[in-house]
Amino acid sequence: IALDSLKRMDNARIVDGKVEDQRERTGPYAIKLMVQVTMWIASIIVFGSTSQANGNGCSTQCAYAITTGLLSFIFLSFLLIFNFLAEINRLSRQVWFTYQFEAFCMYLLILWWIPGVANIASVRSATPGNGEVFAFVAFFGSIYGSFKAYHTYVEDNYRRAIEEREKELKALELEMPTSQIEYAVERN
């Protein structure tokens, strides 16, 4: 038991008499970006493997697989560029590229990859094996990325609500006479 508790204390520190875990947790924003990059790579692999395998003649099924991979790649390229611009403060998250809009875009990718995966994974598919595997990676990535995009949106709303509440409390604090503040502090 003592050895087990020592192992758990390796990643902990004591702050204000409480034990806190020091391991850094990756937030939903970082995970969402990693999933988008993974989907971006998977999309171009689907596009490339299908177009290489069917270089000379291409059926409608082949054309749809190529289109699915290529349009997903272009769509994700724009999402990643907009995320980068928002990160370096060249694009505001308050105007149109909000976290809610980004979550909606990720939901569209789920809808885009459902028929795409059905086409690519069909029996008479024109896509070779690695294209099929990466089609599923892109599909499941879109589901997980949508989940993380939604959580990023919720986390942003929560952060904004806290900031607004803190502003309200500061305004009340500035308006309240000092004697009332001392009385409120003594009561709590």
PDB file of all heavy atoms in Angstrom, residues 143-165:
ATOM      1  N   ILE A 143     -16.092  11.759 -36.445  1.00  0.00           N
ATOM      2  CA  ILE A 143     -16.983  11.581 -35.288  1.00  0.00           C
ATOM      3  C   ILE A 143     -16.296  12.066 -34.014  1.00  0.00           C
ATOM      4  O   ILE A 143     -16.857  12.851 -33.237  1.00  0.00           O
ATOM      5  CB  ILE A 143     -17.416  10.103 -35.156  1.00  0.00           C
ATOM      6  CG1 ILE A 143     -18.290   9.701 -36.331  1.00  0.00           C
ATOM      7  CG2 ILE A 143     -18.144   9.862 -33.836  1.00  0.00           C
ATOM      8  CD1 ILE A 143     -18.591   8.221 -36.410  1.00  0.00           C
ATOM      9  N   TYR A 144     -15.066  11.609 -33.796  1.00  0.00           N
ATOM     10  CA  TYR A 144     -14.342  12.003 -32.580  1.00  0.00           C
ATOM     11  C   TYR A 144     -14.005  13.493 -32.607  1.00  0.00           C
ATOM     12  O   TYR A 144     -14.099  14.176 -31.584  1.00  0.00           O
ATOM     13  CB  TYR A 144     -13.067  11.162 -32.453  1.00  0.00           C
ATOM     14  CG  TYR A 144     -12.349  11.367 -31.144  1.00  0.00           C
ATOM     15  CD1 TYR A 144     -12.926  10.963 -29.951  1.00  0.00           C
ATOM     16  CD2 TYR A 144     -11.098  11.971 -31.105  1.00  0.00           C
ATOM     17  CE1 TYR A 144     -12.280  11.153 -28.741  1.00  0.00           C
ATOM     18  CE2 TYR A 144     -10.444  12.162 -29.901  1.00  0.00           C
ATOM     19  CZ  TYR A 144     -11.042  11.751 -28.732  1.00  0.00           C
ATOM     20  OH  TYR A 144     -10.396  11.948 -27.540  1.00  0.00           O
ATOM     21  N   GLY A 145     -13.634  14.011 -33.780  1.00  0.00           N
ATOM     22  CA  GLY A 145     -13.339  15.443 -33.903  1.00  0.00           C
ATOM     23  C   GLY A 145     -14.564  16.300 -33.626  1.00  0.00           C
ATOM     24  O   GLY A 145     -14.455  17.376 -33.036  1.00  0.00           O
ATOM     25  N   SER A 146     -15.738  15.833 -34.041  1.00  0.00           N
ATOM     26  CA  SER A 146     -16.976  16.560 -33.756  1.00  0.00           C
ATOM     27  C   SER A 146     -17.257  16.586 -32.255  1.00  0.00           C
ATOM     28  O   SER A 146     -17.670  17.602 -31.703  1.00  0.00           O
ATOM     29  CB  SER A 146     -18.151  15.922 -34.478  1.00  0.00           C
ATOM     30  OG  SER A 146     -17.968  15.997 -35.847  1.00  0.00           O
ATOM     31  N   PHE A 147     -17.010  15.462 -31.620  1.00  0.00           N
ATOM     32  CA  PHE A 147     -17.173  15.369 -30.174  1.00  0.00           C
ATOM     33  C   PHE A 147     -16.254  16.377 -29.469  1.00  0.00           C
ATOM     34  O   PHE A 147     -16.674  17.124 -28.580  1.00  0.00           O
ATOM     35  CB  PHE A 147     -16.860  13.938 -29.739  1.00  0.00           C
ATOM     36  CG  PHE A 147     -16.861  13.705 -28.269  1.00  0.00           C
ATOM     37  CD1 PHE A 147     -18.048  13.673 -27.558  1.00  0.00           C
ATOM     38  CD2 PHE A 147     -15.679  13.488 -27.588  1.00  0.00           C
ATOM     39  CE1 PHE A 147     -18.050  13.447 -26.190  1.00  0.00           C
ATOM     40  CE2 PHE A 147     -15.666  13.264 -26.223  1.00  0.00           C
ATOM     41  CZ  PHE A 147     -16.859  13.245 -25.527  1.00  0.00           C
ATOM     42  N   LYS A 148     -14.986  16.439 -29.899  1.00  0.00           N
ATOM     43  CA  LYS A 148     -14.035  17.363 -29.279  1.00  0.00           C
ATOM     44  C   LYS A 148     -14.330  18.808 -29.658  1.00  0.00           C
ATOM     45  O   LYS A 148     -14.120  19.725 -28.856  1.00  0.00           O
ATOM     46  CB  LYS A 148     -12.589  16.997 -29.660  1.00  0.00           C
ATOM     47  CG  LYS A 148     -12.102  15.758 -28.954  1.00  0.00           C
ATOM     48  CD  LYS A 148     -12.167  15.958 -27.463  1.00  0.00           C
ATOM     49  CE  LYS A 148     -11.749  14.743 -26.698  1.00  0.00           C
ATOM     50  NZ  LYS A 148     -11.859  14.911 -25.253  1.00  0.00           N
ATOM     51  N   ALA A 149     -14.813  19.053 -30.876  1.00  0.00           N
ATOM     52  CA  ALA A 149     -15.187  20.409 -31.273  1.00  0.00           C
ATOM     53  C   ALA A 149     -16.355  20.906 -30.434  1.00  0.00           C
ATOM     54  O   ALA A 149     -16.391  22.060 -30.017  1.00  0.00           O
ATOM     55  CB  ALA A 149     -15.536  20.455 -32.756  1.00  0.00           C
ATOM     56  N   TYR A 150     -17.304  20.015 -30.157  1.00  0.00           N
ATOM     57  CA  TYR A 150     -18.424  20.386 -29.290  1.00  0.00           C
ATOM     58  C   TYR A 150     -17.928  20.714 -27.883  1.00  0.00           C
ATOM     59  O   TYR A 150     -18.345  21.698 -27.277  1.00  0.00           O
ATOM     60  CB  TYR A 150     -19.465  19.262 -29.240  1.00  0.00           C
ATOM     61  CG  TYR A 150     -20.551  19.522 -28.239  1.00  0.00           C
ATOM     62  CD1 TYR A 150     -21.550  20.450 -28.501  1.00  0.00           C
ATOM     63  CD2 TYR A 150     -20.561  18.879 -27.004  1.00  0.00           C
ATOM     64  CE1 TYR A 150     -22.540  20.721 -27.576  1.00  0.00           C
ATOM     65  CE2 TYR A 150     -21.545  19.136 -26.068  1.00  0.00           C
ATOM     66  CZ  TYR A 150     -22.529  20.061 -26.365  1.00  0.00           C
ATOM     67  OH  TYR A 150     -23.498  20.326 -25.433  1.00  0.00           O
ATOM     68  N   HIS A 151     -17.008  19.902 -27.367  1.00  0.00           N
ATOM     69  CA  HIS A 151     -16.485  20.161 -26.029  1.00  0.00           C
ATOM     70  C   HIS A 151     -15.665  21.453 -25.986  1.00  0.00           C
ATOM     71  O   HIS A 151     -15.670  22.155 -24.969  1.00  0.00           O
ATOM     72  CB  HIS A 151     -15.668  18.973 -25.522  1.00  0.00           C
ATOM     73  CG  HIS A 151     -16.531  17.884 -25.004  1.00  0.00           C
ATOM     74  ND1 HIS A 151     -17.157  17.941 -23.794  1.00  0.00           N
ATOM     75  CD2 HIS A 151     -16.928  16.720 -25.559  1.00  0.00           C
ATOM     76  CE1 HIS A 151     -17.881  16.874 -23.601  1.00  0.00           C
ATOM     77  NE2 HIS A 151     -17.763  16.101 -24.671  1.00  0.00           N
ATOM     78  N   THR A 152     -14.987  21.781 -27.058  1.00  0.00           N
ATOM     79  CA  THR A 152     -14.269  23.057 -27.129  1.00  0.00           C
ATOM     80  C   THR A 152     -15.269  24.202 -27.082  1.00  0.00           C
ATOM     81  O   THR A 152     -15.053  25.202 -26.396  1.00  0.00           O
ATOM     82  CB  THR A 152     -13.431  23.129 -28.416  1.00  0.00           C
ATOM     83  OG1 THR A 152     -12.531  22.025 -28.438  1.00  0.00           O
ATOM     84  CG2 THR A 152     -12.639  24.410 -28.488  1.00  0.00           C
ATOM     85  N   TYR A 153     -16.373  24.049 -27.795  1.00  0.00           N
ATOM     86  CA  TYR A 153     -17.432  25.061 -27.797  1.00  0.00           C
ATOM     87  C   TYR A 153     -18.025  25.236 -26.398  1.00  0.00           C
ATOM     88  O   TYR A 153     -18.188  26.361 -25.915  1.00  0.00           O
ATOM     89  CB  TYR A 153     -18.507  24.658 -28.817  1.00  0.00           C
ATOM     90  CG  TYR A 153     -19.818  25.365 -28.660  1.00  0.00           C
ATOM     91  CD1 TYR A 153     -19.931  26.736 -28.860  1.00  0.00           C
ATOM     92  CD2 TYR A 153     -20.968  24.654 -28.328  1.00  0.00           C
ATOM     93  CE1 TYR A 153     -21.143  27.379 -28.713  1.00  0.00           C
ATOM     94  CE2 TYR A 153     -22.182  25.289 -28.184  1.00  0.00           C
ATOM     95  CZ  TYR A 153     -22.271  26.650 -28.378  1.00  0.00           C
ATOM     96  OH  TYR A 153     -23.472  27.279 -28.227  1.00  0.00           O
ATOM     97  N   VAL A 154     -18.311  24.128 -25.723  1.00  0.00           N
ATOM     98  CA  VAL A 154     -18.884  24.195 -24.372  1.00  0.00           C
ATOM     99  C   VAL A 154     -17.881  24.823 -23.401  1.00  0.00           C
ATOM    100  O   VAL A 154     -18.246  25.662 -22.566  1.00  0.00           O
ATOM    101  CB  VAL A 154     -19.315  22.787 -23.896  1.00  0.00           C
ATOM    102  CG1 VAL A 154     -19.632  22.767 -22.422  1.00  0.00           C
ATOM    103  CG2 VAL A 154     -20.497  22.306 -24.713  1.00  0.00           C
ATOM    104  N   GLU A 155     -16.615  24.428 -23.517  1.00  0.00           N
ATOM    105  CA  GLU A 155     -15.577  24.980 -22.645  1.00  0.00           C
ATOM    106  C   GLU A 155     -15.425  26.493 -22.854  1.00  0.00           C
ATOM    107  O   GLU A 155     -15.255  27.244 -21.902  1.00  0.00           O
ATOM    108  CB  GLU A 155     -14.259  24.268 -22.931  1.00  0.00           C
ATOM    109  CG  GLU A 155     -13.199  24.507 -21.894  1.00  0.00           C
ATOM    110  CD  GLU A 155     -11.981  23.646 -22.161  1.00  0.00           C
ATOM    111  OE1 GLU A 155     -11.945  22.509 -21.660  1.00  0.00           O
ATOM    112  OE2 GLU A 155     -11.074  24.132 -22.865  1.00  0.00           O
ATOM    113  N   ASP A 156     -15.518  26.937 -24.094  1.00  0.00           N
ATOM    114  CA  ASP A 156     -15.429  28.370 -24.390  1.00  0.00           C
ATOM    115  C   ASP A 156     -16.619  29.120 -23.799  1.00  0.00           C
ATOM    116  O   ASP A 156     -16.460  30.209 -23.246  1.00  0.00           O
ATOM    117  CB  ASP A 156     -15.351  28.592 -25.909  1.00  0.00           C
ATOM    118  CG  ASP A 156     -15.174  30.051 -26.255  1.00  0.00           C
ATOM    119  OD1 ASP A 156     -14.176  30.656 -25.779  1.00  0.00           O
ATOM    120  OD2 ASP A 156     -16.020  30.593 -26.995  1.00  0.00           O
ATOM    121  N   ASN A 157     -17.819  28.549 -23.914  1.00  0.00           N
ATOM    122  CA  ASN A 157     -19.000  29.177 -23.312  1.00  0.00           C
ATOM    123  C   ASN A 157     -18.862  29.268 -21.796  1.00  0.00           C
ATOM    124  O   ASN A 157     -19.236  30.271 -21.184  1.00  0.00           O
ATOM    125  CB  ASN A 157     -20.269  28.404 -23.660  1.00  0.00           C
ATOM    126  CG  ASN A 157     -20.780  28.759 -25.020  1.00  0.00           C
ATOM    127  OD1 ASN A 157     -20.330  29.720 -25.637  1.00  0.00           O
ATOM    128  ND2 ASN A 157     -21.723  27.981 -25.505  1.00  0.00           N
ATOM    129  N   TYR A 158     -18.342  28.226 -21.189  1.00  0.00           N
ATOM    130  CA  TYR A 158     -18.140  28.211 -19.740  1.00  0.00           C
ATOM    131  C   TYR A 158     -17.126  29.283 -19.325  1.00  0.00           C
ATOM    132  O   TYR A 158     -17.344  30.020 -18.371  1.00  0.00           O
ATOM    133  CB  TYR A 158     -17.672  26.819 -19.311  1.00  0.00           C
ATOM    134  CG  TYR A 158     -17.527  26.648 -17.823  1.00  0.00           C
ATOM    135  CD1 TYR A 158     -18.631  26.670 -16.983  1.00  0.00           C
ATOM    136  CD2 TYR A 158     -16.266  26.478 -17.255  1.00  0.00           C
ATOM    137  CE1 TYR A 158     -18.498  26.521 -15.616  1.00  0.00           C
ATOM    138  CE2 TYR A 158     -16.127  26.328 -15.878  1.00  0.00           C
ATOM    139  CZ  TYR A 158     -17.249  26.343 -15.078  1.00  0.00           C
ATOM    140  OH  TYR A 158     -17.107  26.217 -13.730  1.00  0.00           O
ATOM    141  N   ARG A 159     -16.036  29.383 -20.086  1.00  0.00           N
ATOM    142  CA  ARG A 159     -15.018  30.395 -19.791  1.00  0.00           C
ATOM    143  C   ARG A 159     -15.596  31.803 -19.916  1.00  0.00           C
ATOM    144  O   ARG A 159     -15.358  32.664 -19.070  1.00  0.00           O
ATOM    145  CB  ARG A 159     -13.834  30.228 -20.740  1.00  0.00           C
ATOM    146  CG  ARG A 159     -12.683  31.193 -20.486  1.00  0.00           C
ATOM    147  CD  ARG A 159     -11.619  31.120 -21.573  1.00  0.00           C
ATOM    148  NE  ARG A 159     -12.123  31.251 -22.925  1.00  0.00           N
ATOM    149  CZ  ARG A 159     -12.452  32.416 -23.511  1.00  0.00           C
ATOM    150  NH1 ARG A 159     -12.361  33.534 -22.850  1.00  0.00           N
ATOM    151  NH2 ARG A 159     -12.886  32.435 -24.755  1.00  0.00           N
ATOM    152  N   ARG A 160     -16.397  32.034 -20.945  1.00  0.00           N
ATOM    153  CA  ARG A 160     -17.020  33.353 -21.129  1.00  0.00           C
ATOM    154  C   ARG A 160     -17.982  33.682 -19.997  1.00  0.00           C
ATOM    155  O   ARG A 160     -18.039  34.817 -19.535  1.00  0.00           O
ATOM    156  CB  ARG A 160     -17.757  33.403 -22.457  1.00  0.00           C
ATOM    157  CG  ARG A 160     -16.848  33.568 -23.620  1.00  0.00           C
ATOM    158  CD  ARG A 160     -17.659  33.808 -24.855  1.00  0.00           C
ATOM    159  NE  ARG A 160     -16.818  33.710 -26.022  1.00  0.00           N
ATOM    160  CZ  ARG A 160     -17.268  33.698 -27.236  1.00  0.00           C
ATOM    161  NH1 ARG A 160     -18.559  33.757 -27.451  1.00  0.00           N
ATOM    162  NH2 ARG A 160     -16.448  33.624 -28.249  1.00  0.00           N
ATOM    163  N   ALA A 161     -18.756  32.695 -19.563  1.00  0.00           N
ATOM    164  CA  ALA A 161     -19.703  32.919 -18.465  1.00  0.00           C
ATOM    165  C   ALA A 161     -18.965  33.282 -17.185  1.00  0.00           C
ATOM    166  O   ALA A 161     -19.389  34.177 -16.443  1.00  0.00           O
ATOM    167  CB  ALA A 161     -20.560  31.680 -18.254  1.00  0.00           C
ATOM    168  N   ILE A 162     -17.837  32.627 -16.934  1.00  0.00           N
ATOM    169  CA  ILE A 162     -17.039  32.941 -15.746  1.00  0.00           C
ATOM    170  C   ILE A 162     -16.481  34.356 -15.843  1.00  0.00           C
ATOM    171  O   ILE A 162     -16.524  35.123 -14.874  1.00  0.00           O
ATOM    172  CB  ILE A 162     -15.908  31.911 -15.560  1.00  0.00           C
ATOM    173  CG1 ILE A 162     -16.497  30.575 -15.126  1.00  0.00           C
ATOM    174  CG2 ILE A 162     -14.872  32.397 -14.556  1.00  0.00           C
ATOM    175  CD1 ILE A 162     -15.496  29.445 -15.070  1.00  0.00           C
ATOM    176  N   GLU A 163     -15.964  34.719 -17.020  1.00  0.00           N
ATOM    177  CA  GLU A 163     -15.417  36.075 -17.201  1.00  0.00           C
ATOM    178  C   GLU A 163     -16.492  37.138 -17.006  1.00  0.00           C
ATOM    179  O   GLU A 163     -16.248  38.164 -16.368  1.00  0.00           O
ATOM    180  CB  GLU A 163     -14.788  36.211 -18.592  1.00  0.00           C
ATOM    181  CG  GLU A 163     -13.480  35.485 -18.740  1.00  0.00           C
ATOM    182  CD  GLU A 163     -12.948  35.513 -20.171  1.00  0.00           C
ATOM    183  OE1 GLU A 163     -13.633  36.080 -21.064  1.00  0.00           O
ATOM    184  OE2 GLU A 163     -11.853  34.970 -20.390  1.00  0.00           O
ATOM    185  N   GLU A 164     -17.694  36.896 -17.539  1.00  0.00           N
ATOM    186  CA  GLU A 164     -18.790  37.856 -17.367  1.00  0.00           C
ATOM    187  C   GLU A 164     -19.193  37.976 -15.904  1.00  0.00           C
ATOM    188  O   GLU A 164     -19.443  39.075 -15.409  1.00  0.00           O
ATOM    189  CB  GLU A 164     -19.993  37.434 -18.214  1.00  0.00           C
ATOM    190  CG  GLU A 164     -19.797  37.662 -19.693  1.00  0.00           C
ATOM    191  CD  GLU A 164     -20.969  37.153 -20.507  1.00  0.00           C
ATOM    192  OE1 GLU A 164     -22.069  36.939 -19.935  1.00  0.00           O
ATOM    193  OE2 GLU A 164     -20.784  36.961 -21.717  1.00  0.00           O
ATOM    194  N   ARG A 165     -19.233  36.860 -15.211  1.00  0.00           N
ATOM    195  CA  ARG A 165     -19.591  36.879 -13.785  1.00  0.00           C
ATOM    196  C   ARG A 165     -18.540  37.631 -12.967  1.00  0.00           C
ATOM    197  O   ARG A 165     -18.879  38.386 -12.065  1.00  0.00           O
ATOM    198  CB  ARG A 165     -19.750  35.448 -13.271  1.00  0.00           C
ATOM    199  CG  ARG A 165     -20.180  35.359 -11.856  1.00  0.00           C
ATOM    200  CD  ARG A 165     -21.579  35.903 -11.681  1.00  0.00           C
ATOM    201  NE  ARG A 165     -21.933  35.792 -10.286  1.00  0.00           N
ATOM    202  CZ  ARG A 165     -22.764  36.590  -9.671  1.00  0.00           C
ATOM    203  NH1 ARG A 165     -23.361  37.543 -10.326  1.00  0.00           N
ATOM    204  NH2 ARG A 165     -23.022  36.426  -8.398  1.00  0.00           N
TER     205      ARG A 165
END
